[in-house]
């Protein structure tokens, strides 16, 4: 680990000011950042500790939703009874995401901003456009079991690793940000960037901008399922995951919100998939048609070709379970 300056912010404004230089980064739980610094994948000149900021509360909003502070730990968020009752898909995703030890430290804001687990990104001897722009992508033509089948580019095929973010994407979460130019709200669908020809630009956050909270809209009820397929059952990253939130009316799907993880550089949701399910009967044929839409542009890269069929089967299974729960 290279030498760096350390400071501890005592206010959000102070954190924003200290984090404004490009060479600075924020730290809270540190469950991802510290690993990256030890491997010298990230080498910030200054680290700004935000753990003393008053961002650790879960509060109900006037609209009937929740406002989740950026420093709420994954453990506390998953265990909160309001979340478990109103937004159970989020609790399920968090519990699928990591060990208890990691959940005790990992924070809401940090979870959204965690970096890819691409093998080549972590290997400083490998070519990686995300780590060092313009050097190439060693994953293309390499080992691609964990890599993207949707949303990738010729410059990067890495996936976003968060489980929490997939559930929040299905729930239409909004991210509250404070920065040098004031505060702004960013719909979660707009927070993460696709790689295009700038894979090192992972989010729309500007230097010094700090996530302070995430808002969830009022609960919609229905069946809420998080189905995760991984190489081992003990806290591995998703090969494919599906967050499904489904409400039923008179035996048909009234509304569906489907988000996927493990298959793209960001939590993946398509309005066309949700629209195809609305009004449909809860049958395997209806679910298969939704999968056809989701996977129309899917492309494998050798080792991960299996993900296309696996995504189809996982989506169909998740939808069947969600519809059954919503009809119970």
């Amino acid at each position: 680990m290279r030498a760096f300056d350390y400071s501890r912010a005592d206010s959000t404004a102070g954190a924003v000011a200290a984090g404004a230089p490009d060479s600075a980064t924020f730290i809270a739980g540190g469950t991802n950042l510290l690993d990256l610094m030890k491997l010298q994948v990230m080498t910030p000149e200054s680290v700004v500790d935000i753990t003393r900021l008053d961002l650790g509360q879960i509060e109900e909003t006037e609209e009937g939703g929740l406002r989740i502070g950026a420093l709420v730990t994954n453990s506390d968020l998953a265990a909160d009874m309001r979340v478990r009752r109103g937004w159970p898909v989020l609790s399920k995703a968090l519990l699928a995401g990591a060990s208890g030890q990691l959940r005790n430290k990992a924070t809401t804001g940090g979870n959204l901003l965690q970096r890819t687990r691409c093998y080549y990104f972590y290997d400083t001897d490998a070519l990686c456009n995300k780590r060092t722009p313009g050097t190439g992508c060693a994953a293309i033509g390499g080992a691609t079991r964990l890599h993207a089948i949707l949303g990738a580019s010729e410059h990067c095929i890495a996936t976003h690793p968060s489980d929490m973010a997939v559930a929040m994407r299905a729930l239409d979460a909004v991210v509250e940000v404070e920065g040098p130019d004031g505060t702004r709200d960013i719909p979660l669908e707009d927070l993460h960037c696709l790689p295009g020809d700038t894979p090192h630009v992972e989010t729309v956050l500007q230097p010094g901008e700090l996530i302070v909270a995430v808002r969830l809209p009022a609960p919609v009820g229905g069946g809420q399922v998080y189905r995760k397929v991984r190489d081992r059952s003990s806290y591995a990253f998703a090969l494919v995951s599906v967050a499904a939130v489904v409400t039923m009316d008179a035996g048909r799907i009234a509304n569906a919100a489907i988000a996927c993880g493990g298959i793209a550089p960001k939590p993946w949701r398509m309005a066309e998939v949700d629209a195809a399910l609305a009004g449909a009967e809860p049958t395997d044929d209806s679910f298969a048609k939704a999968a056809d839409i989701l996977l129309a542009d899917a492309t494998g890269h050798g080792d991960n070709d299996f993900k296309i069929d696996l995504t189809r089967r996982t989506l169909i299974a998740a939808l069947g379970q969600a519809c059954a729960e919503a009809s119970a």
Side-chain angles (χ1 to χ4, degrees), residues 241-316:
S241 66
V242 174
V245 179
V246 174
T247 58
M248 302 290 292
D249 182 32
R252 290 180 176 268
I253 298 172
N255 289 286
I258 309 300
C260 297
I263 62 172
K266 61 187 290 184
W268 196 257
R269 184 175 173 187
M270 296 174 60
E272 298 89 341
V273 173
D274 297 350
L277 290 166
E281 294 183 355
T283 64
D284 283 351
D285 285 343
S286 297
F287 305 156
K289 289 178 182 177
D292 288 340
I293 296 170
L294 174 69
L295 296 167
D297 295 325
T299 301
H301 300 277
D303 292 344
N304 71 343
D305 290 349
F306 73 95
K307 277 193 176 187
I308 297 175
D309 184 56
L310 181 60
T311 301
R312 175 183 300 277
R313 289 186 283 113
T314 305
L315 175 61
I316 291 172

Side-chain angles (χ1 to χ4, degrees), residues 99-323:
S99 67
Q101 294 92 330
L102 286 174
R103 292 198 303 270
N104 287 342
K105 293 295 292 182
T107 61
T108 299
N111 189 301
L112 292 177
L113 299 180
Q114 61 183 297
R115 311 292 299 276
T116 183
R117 263 52 178 198
C118 171
Y119 331 109
Y120 303 101
F121 174 71
Y122 270 74
D123 181 358
T124 55
D125 290 327
L127 302 178
C128 177
N129 288 318
K130 186 180 287 292
R131 188 183 64 249
T132 310
T135 58
C137 177
I140 298 176
T144 59
R145 184 171 177 79
L146 293 179
H147 289 72
I149 58 173
L150 289 167
S153 76
E154 62 181 342
H155 300 285
C156 181
I157 59 172
T159 56
H160 193 274
S162 174
D163 292 284
M164 184 194 79
V166 177
M168 285 187 169
R169 180 68 189 89
L171 294 171
D172 293 316
V174 174
V175 180
E176 295 181 17
V177 171
E178 186 167 334
D181 296 324
T183 60
R184 61 173 175 148
D185 289 347
I186 305 172
L188 183 56
E189 64 181 302
D190 298 328
L191 177 66
H192 300 101
C193 301
L194 294 179
D197 58 3
T198 56
H200 60 289
V201 180
E202 298 179 353
T203 73
V204 298
L205 297 179
Q206 299 300 308
E209 285 195 315
L210 176 68
I211 293 177
V212 296
V214 177
R215 292 199 313 274
L216 300 179
V220 298
Q224 299 193 18
V225 170
Y226 189 74
R227 182 173 286 255
K228 179 177 180 179
V229 182
R230 46 195 165 181
D231 279 327
R232 64 179 192 275
S233 61
S234 178
Y235 309 118
F237 294 102
L239 296 170
V240 173
S241 66
V242 174
V245 179
V246 174
T247 58
M248 302 290 292
D249 182 32
R252 290 180 176 268
I253 298 172
N255 289 286
I258 309 300
C260 297
I263 62 172
K266 61 187 290 184
W268 196 257
R269 184 175 173 187
M270 296 174 60
E272 298 89 341
V273 173
D274 297 350
L277 290 166
E281 294 183 355
T283 64
D284 283 351
D285 285 343
S286 297
F287 305 156
K289 289 178 182 177
D292 288 340
I293 296 170
L294 174 69
L295 296 167
D297 295 325
T299 301
H301 300 277
D303 292 344
N304 71 343
D305 290 349
F306 73 95
K307 277 193 176 187
I308 297 175
D309 184 56
L310 181 60
T311 301
R312 175 183 300 277
R313 289 186 283 113
T314 305
L315 175 61
I316 291 172
L319 283 169
Q321 182 180 350
C323 288

